[in-house]
C-alpha cells in the first residue's frame, strides 16, 4: 500500500464502544420482536394487537438481516408490515374493534388461563432446551453462496414448479376471497 | 462478556426466540376471543416457523438458498391465508353481526 492512502480512522484505532454497536442492535431487534409478540396476543383492542404484530415483524426483519438474509428482511417488511397488517386493519375497520369482555366465572377463567400458560410454557421450555443444549452439527468453514442472485436462479430452475404452484395458490386465494366476501351482500 | 458480544453469531438465541414465538402464538390462538385476534396469533406462529427455518439455514444448512426460498413460500402462503381468512371474517360479520368466536355456534342461519 502506498503511503499516500489514508486508512479510515476507525481501522487504525477502533472508535470507543464501536464493538458494542452490533450486539446492541441485535438485542434491540430481539427485544422488539418479543415485545411486539406480547402486545399482539395480549392487547384488549384488536387494533393494538395489529400494531403489535407490525412491531414484531419489524424486529423479525432485523433478525433476518442478522441471519445473512437481507432480501428476506425486505420481503418481511413489504409483505407483513406493508400488506398483511394493513389488510387486517381494514378488516378491523369493517368488523368489531374490541375484544369482548370475558364470560364465565372467575375461577373457571383462571383455570383456563393457567392451563394455557402451562401448555405454552411446556412447549417453549422443551423447544428452547433443545435449541440451547441440543447437539447441532457444525459447519467447518462458511464458503456458501449467500447472494440474492442464487435465490433467483434456484427459484426459476430447481423450485420452478413450487414457484408456479404458489402463484396459482395466490390467484385462487384472491378469487376465493372476492367470491366469499361478495356473496352475502344484500344490495348486490 | 465475550459470548454476550458474539450472541448474534450463535444459533441458540434465534432458536429460543422461535420457540417463544411458537408458544406465545399458541397461547394467543387459544385465549383470543375474536376471529381477527386468532388470525394475528396465527401470523405469529408463521413467524416462528420462518425464524426457525432461517436460523437453521444460517448455521447448519449446506445450501443457504433452500431455507430462504422456503421462507419466501411461507410468506406467500401466509398472504393467501390472510386474504381468505379476512374475507371469511367479513362474511361472518355480515351474517352474524359479530366476530366473537363464542357466538359463532350455528352452522346455518
Amino acid at each position: 500500500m502506498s503511503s499516500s492512502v489514508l486508512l479510515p480512522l476507525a481501522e487504525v484505532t477502533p472508535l470507543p464502544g464501536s464493538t458494542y454497536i452490533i450486539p446492541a442492535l441485535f438485542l434491540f431487534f430481539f427485544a422488539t420482536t418479543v415485545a411486539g409478540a406480547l402486545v399482539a396476543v395480549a392487547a384488549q383492542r384488536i387494533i393494538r394487537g395489529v400494531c403489535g404484530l407490525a412491531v414484531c415483524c419489524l424486529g423479525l426483519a432485523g433478525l433476518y438481516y442478522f441471519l445473512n438474509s437481507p432480501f428476506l428482511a425486505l420481503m418481511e417488511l413489504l409483505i407483513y408490515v406493508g400488506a398483511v397488517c394493513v389488510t387486517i386493519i381494514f378488516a378491523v375497520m369493517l368488523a368489531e374493534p374490541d375484544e369482548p369482555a370475558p364470560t364465565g366465572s372467575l375461577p373457571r377463567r383462571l383455570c383456563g388461563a393457567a392451563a394455557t400458560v402451562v401448555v405454552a410454557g411446556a412447549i417453549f421450555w422443551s423447544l428452547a432446551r433443545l435449541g440451547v443444549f441440543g447437539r447441532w452439527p457444525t459447519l467447518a468453514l462458511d464458503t456458501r453462496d449467500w447472494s440474492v442472485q442464487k435465490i433467483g436462479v434456484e427459484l426459476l430452475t430447481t423450485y420452478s414448479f413450487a414457484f408456479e404452484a404458489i402463484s396459482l395458490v395466490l390467484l385462487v386465494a384472491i378469487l376465493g376471497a372476492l367470491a366469499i366476501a361478495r356473496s352475502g351482500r344484500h344490495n348486490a | 462478556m465475550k459470548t454476550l458480544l458474539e450472541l448474534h453469531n450463535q444459533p441458540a438465541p434465534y432458536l429460543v426466540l422461535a420457540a417463544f414465538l411458537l408458544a406465545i402464538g399458541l397461547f394467543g390462538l387459544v385465549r383470543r376471543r375474536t376471529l381477527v385476534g386468532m388470525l394475528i396469533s396465527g401470523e405469529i406462529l408463521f413467524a416462528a416457523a420462518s425464524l426457525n427455518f432461517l436460523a437453521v439455514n444460517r448455521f447448519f444448512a449446506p445450501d443457504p438458498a433452500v431455507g430462504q426460498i422456503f421462507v419466501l413460500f411461507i410468506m406467500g402462503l401466509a398472504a393467501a391465508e390472510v386474504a381468505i381468512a379476512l374475507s371469511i371474517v367479513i362474511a361472518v360479520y355480515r351474517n352474524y353481526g359479530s366476530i366473537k368466536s363464542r357466538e359463532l355456534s350455528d352452522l346455518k342461519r
Side-chain angles (χ1 to χ4, degrees):
Chain A
M1 186 186 294
S2 68
S3 60
S4 64
V5 177
L6 274 178
L7 280 173
L9 189 62
E11 282 188 28
V12 186
T13 54
L15 298 175
S18 61
T19 47
Y20 299 104
I21 292 178
I22 290 176
L25 268 179
F26 173 74
L27 285 182
F28 170 73
F29 286 128
F30 197 97
T32 309
T33 311
V34 170
L38 283 175
V39 171
V41 296
Q44 275 305 304
R45 306 219 149 189
I46 298 178
I47 193 75
R48 290 185 191 152
V50 181
C51 293
L53 181 67
V55 170
C56 178
C57 291
L58 273 175
L60 271 177
L63 290 179
Y64 287 177
Y65 185 81
F66 273 100
L67 288 169
N68 259 6
S69 313
F71 178 61
L72 282 183
L74 186 65
M75 282 297 133
E76 176 87 11
L77 286 183
L78 272 178
I79 296 177
Y80 276 93
V81 184
V84 168
C85 286
V86 173
T87 321
I88 296 178
I89 286 175
F90 271 115
V92 173
M93 288 195 287
L94 288 172
E96 289 174 15
D98 282 343
E99 189 90 343
T103 54
S105 63
L106 186 66
R108 202 183 143 163
R109 271 192 280 132
L110 282 181
C111 274
T116 321
V117 166
V118 165
V119 171
I123 289 173
F124 168 68
W125 192 75
S126 49
L127 280 180
R129 196 162 168 261
L130 182 68
V132 174
F133 299 112
R135 297 178 57 197
W136 298 92
T138 46
L139 291 174
L141 186 64
D142 198 353
T143 54
R144 298 175 289 174
D145 183 5
W146 284 97
S147 63
V148 180
Q149 189 185 9
K150 177 132 190 285
I151 300 176
V153 169
E154 295 249 324
L155 265 182
L156 292 180
T157 55
T158 317
Y159 302 101
S160 56
F161 180 76
F163 189 66
E164 295 299 327
I166 281 283
S167 56
L168 200 64
V169 165
L170 277 171
L171 176 70
V172 172
I174 293 168
L175 290 180
L178 286 175
I180 293 172
R182 184 183 159 75
S183 60
R185 271 164 74 163
H186 300 301
N187 55 355
Chain B
M1 194 64 202
K2 178 79 174 156
T3 51
L4 203 61
L5 285 182
E6 284 296 311
L7 211 55
H8 60 279
N9 273 331
Q10 294 164 3
Y14 299 100
L15 296 175
V16 170
L17 181 60
F20 172 78
L21 288 179
L22 176 72
I24 207 163
L26 275 175
F27 176 82
L29 205 57
V30 176
R31 297 300 299 169
R32 279 292 194 184
R33 291 180 293 271
T34 58
L35 295 181
V36 176
M38 292 164 77
L39 182 68
I40 293 173
S41 305
E43 289 305 311
I44 290 180
L45 288 179
F46 272 119
S50 305
L51 184 64
N52 219 334
F53 265 111
L54 277 184
V56 173
N57 180 54
R58 160 76 176 79
F59 293 103
F60 311 119
D63 181 4
V66 178
Q68 300 187 46
I69 289 171
F70 206 107
V71 172
L72 274 180
F73 287 155
I74 291 179
M75 284 179 187
L77 282 181
E81 175 246 353
V82 164
I84 289 285
L86 286 180
S87 70
I88 291 176
V89 167
I90 300 296
V92 161
Y93 185 69
R94 197 174 286 144
N95 280 328
Y96 288 83
S98 161
I99 55 167
K100 296 167 189 148
S101 51
R102 192 170 282 273
E103 292 179 9
L104 311 177
S105 50
D106 306 334
L107 278 179
K108 194 166 182 185
R109 178 178 276 212

